[in-house]
Structures are given as C-alpha cells and as structure tokens.
Amino acid sequence: MAPGLYTDIGKKTRDLLYKDYNTHQKFSLTTSSPNGVAITAAGTRKNESIFGELHTQIKNKKLTVDVKANSESDLLTTITVDEFGTPGLKSIINLVVPDQRSGKLEFQYLHEYAGVNASVGLNSNPMVNLSGAFGSKALSVGVDVSFDTASSDFTKYNAALSLTSPDLIASLHLNNHGDTLVASYYHLVKNHSGTAVGAELSHSMSRNESTLIFGSQHSLDPHTTIKTRFNNYGMASALVQHEWRPKSFVTISGDVDTKAIEKSTKVGLSLVLKH
C-alpha cells in the first residue's frame, strides 16, 4: 500500500548504501516446517567476542509469535496480529526478559493514502511514539514524534518528504530536533540487471559538518550482486553477494580507508543458510 510507513521514506537508498555491508563474521542457519514453525540459530564474531542468538517463529493464520534468546541472557517475545479488527491494522506486543520495562504495545495501520505507527511503553512512565506518512506513492510527507511521559519532554521530532517515479526516488529528512538535514536519492539505471546508483548527503547544523556517500549496485547474473560505496572522508567499501541456493546467501564485504590502506583494511563474511 502507498505511501507506506514513515520508516519506508528513503529506505531504498539506505538499503543500497548500508544493507549487507559487514566487517565481522556472521553465520545463520534457518530450518522451517510446513506447519509454520521456523527456527534460526545465528552467531556473530566481533573482534575477539562471539555473540549468539536463537530465534523461533510460529505462524498460524493472522497470528505470528517470535521468541529470541541471545548469549546475553535476554529473551525477547513479539506477538503480531494482522488485520486486527479491521483491514490494514496490525497490532504488535514486544516483551523483554529480564528488562520488562522495555516492553511496548504497537499498532500499525496502512491505508491507500496513509501509513501510521503508534507505540507506547508497558511501564508506569511510558515512552510514547507516533509516526506517519501521508500522500501517494508519487509524493508523501511524514512525521516521527516521541514523548517521554516521565520528563514530559519531546525526545524526538523528525520530518520527511519523498518524491517517487518509476526509476527515481528522492527524499529529504530533518532529524535530531531539526539539527540534521539528510538528502538522498536512488536511481534505477537498468531494471533487467538491477543496476542502481544512490547518494546521501547529511549535514549537521550545530557542528557545521557534512557527510556525502555515493553507492552503486549491479547484478552480474540472477544470483550474484556486487555493491560499492565511497564517502567524502576517503572510506571505500565493496561487497559480493551470491545466492547459491534459494534464500541462502554468502556475502563477502570489505572496508578500506584510502588515506591509510596498509592499516585500515577490514573484511567481513556472512553466511545465511535456509532450508
């Protein structure tokens, strides 16, 4: 549905510039059954530390239950109900053990001309968040506001604008209480090969600093994609992702500081197996 949620504004550009880039070692194995049960075991090695996670998902018609347990002894349970009482409405409950104060109740509503997300913390002094995108698939505006009932302060108020055509998406975000302006664009150059380019310009008014990132992607064949990106500070990155079986990927990516190549090269490996 158009225009989607607030988080969908600029998502194409963010995926192009940031998704799947990784300088650590990651492994994920997912097995699923016909009755709607899926179990995923994942591990990440970062420097000398290893982090693990076990994720179980159960789907039954409009009800989805996700339970995640990690190596830090956290247990996250998410209950999602689609079409909650009316078409387009979704309800989500998040519960975290042992930190029960971080639980929240969330509602999402998608309409032809609007997408609204509202959430409230499940504690005595909850954080309340409301975000929405309004318009059409071609033109949409959005707002994202958070209010802390404990301090009676607005902790976040952001705004965004998006323009979309069949092969070009441009967006503008005003974040961090109006201090940061982010402009981005995504251009699909060749549809049949998935060739696309994108850029993001972020400017902090308080620090008077700007960051500019260029990125590109291209499909060598239906199962292999390459991506590159480069910013104005001289950081360059590249990745190769290959789907060697349906929904199973191996991704190799690397970062390098072009001003200090001999000291800064980092390489990451990600392996995702699903059956």
Side-chain angles (χ1 to χ4, degrees):
M1 287 187 177
L5 298 172
Y6 180 87
T7 52
D8 294 326
I9 298 178
K11 186 177 184 299
K12 276 279 190 179
T13 304
R14 292 193 300 271
D15 286 348
L16 172 66
L17 296 177
Y18 302 108
K19 186 179 180 181
D20 295 323
Y21 283 101
N22 167 52
T23 57
H24 311 302
Q25 287 74 50
K26 294 183 177 182
F27 175 80
S28 173
L29 174 62
T30 300
T31 179
S32 57
S33 64
N35 60 2
V37 178
I39 299 175
T40 300
T44 301
R45 180 178 180 182
K46 184 177 181 181
N47 298 325
E48 298 301 322
S49 301
I50 298 177
F51 305 93
E53 182 179 88
L54 183 64
H55 175 203
T56 301
Q57 183 181 81
I58 302 173
K59 287 186 176 182
N60 184 13
K61 297 180 180 179
K62 298 179 181 180
L63 176 67
T64 303
V65 178
D66 291 275
V67 180
K68 293 182 181 180
N70 60 32
S71 54
E72 297 178 343
S73 301
D74 294 326
L75 183 65
L76 170 63
T77 302
T78 302
I79 302 172
T80 303
V81 181
D82 289 319
E83 306 294 334
F84 186 67
T86 185
L89 180 62
K90 177 188 294 186
S91 65
I92 304 169
I93 299 177
N94 290 291
L95 300 173
V96 181
V97 177
D99 185 13
Q100 299 179 5
R101 294 174 300 175
S102 59
K104 67 178 181 179
L105 174 63
E106 182 177 354
F107 292 96
Q108 292 180 0
Y109 179 67
L110 291 174
H111 183 267
E112 185 178 1
Y113 299 108
V116 179
N117 188 98
S119 66
V120 58
L122 299 178
N123 52 58
S124 57
N125 296 300
M127 183 75 72
V128 180
N129 178 261
L130 178 64
S131 65
F134 310 92
S136 63
K137 189 174 182 179
L139 172 64
S140 63
V141 295
V143 292
D144 183 17
V145 179
S146 291
F147 182 75
D148 188 349
T149 59
S151 61
S152 298
D153 289 330
F154 285 96
T155 59
K156 178 174 64 174
Y157 40 89
N158 302 327
L161 169 70
S162 177
L163 297 171
T164 303
S165 68
D167 60 355
L168 181 66
I169 302 173
S171 64
L172 188 67
H173 283 77
L174 188 61
N175 299 331
N176 300 329
H177 296 209
D179 179 69
T180 304
L181 186 65
V182 180
S184 65
Y185 89 95
Y186 171 92
H187 182 205
L188 181 61
V189 181
K190 294 182 180 180
N191 190 31
H192 67 277
S193 63
T195 303
V197 296
E200 178 184 87
L201 174 63
S202 176
H203 178 73
S204 172
M205 300 178 190
S206 61
R207 299 194 306 269
N208 195 28
E209 293 179 354
S210 298
T211 301
L212 178 61
I213 305 177
F214 287 101
S216 66
Q217 73 175 24
H218 176 73
S219 296
L220 299 177
D221 57 53
H223 305 289
T224 307
T225 300
I226 58 174
K227 295 173 64 175
T228 61
R229 69 180 181 189
F230 185 82
N231 70 19
N232 58 316
Y233 294 106
M235 293 297 299
S237 307
L239 72 79
V240 178
Q241 184 177 80
H242 179 68
E243 184 181 22
W244 55 280
R245 56 178 293 176
K247 298 182 180 181
S248 296
F249 300 88
V250 57
T251 306
I252 300 174
S253 60
D255 289 342
V256 61
D257 185 347
T258 58
K259 299 177 181 178
I261 296 178
E262 70 283 356
K263 298 180 181 180
S264 63
T265 303
K266 297 179 180 180
V267 178
L269 174 65
S270 175
L271 184 61
V272 177
L273 305 176
K274 293 185 178 183
H275 65 86

